[in-house]
Amino acid sequence: MKCTPVCPFENDDCCMARILSKQDDFANQISMLETMIQDAGHECIFLSQFHCELNPIEMYWGWAKYRSQQVDKNTFQQANEAALVALDGCPVKVIQRFINCSWHWMSAYCMGLTGKAA
Ligand SMILES: [Zn+2]
């Protein structure tokens, strides 16, 4: 019924689970997450896996994580508060730079450059 632990990458018909996952009604199924986001009036965009440079949220998260690590914390509550302070402390101008940086990466890829060349 299903390969263990995972299906071989190159196979399309190795097991029943893989065959079913390739059927249109499964492959084109909108996820519950997408549905919830769209119902709230937003657009859900999935970015390419393993390309964190295309996602400004990753840069923002890294910025906040670095600052949060600079604070002494002894309890989970303190860690939670430090994370929120760091997330709220990122200036809008810095967030705009993260977005610009991601756009530059996208532009470079759209021109056909490889990651190294970009
Ligand atoms: Zn399989």
Side-chain angles (χ1 to χ4, degrees), residues 16-33:
M16 185 63 74
R18 178 58 74 92
I19 291 168
L20 281 174
S21 74
K22 296 290 179 183
Q23 300 302 308
D24 284 346
D25 51 343
F26 283 98
N28 299 324
Q29 174 73 41
I30 296 174
S31 70
M32 187 183 291
L33 175 64

Side-chain angles (χ1 to χ4, degrees), residues 1-4 6-8 11-19:
M1 297 293 283
K2 184 167 179 20
C3 298
T4 304
V6 293
C7 298
N11 286 2
D12 281 339
D13 57 356
C14 53
C15 61
M16 185 63 74
R18 178 58 74 92
I19 291 168

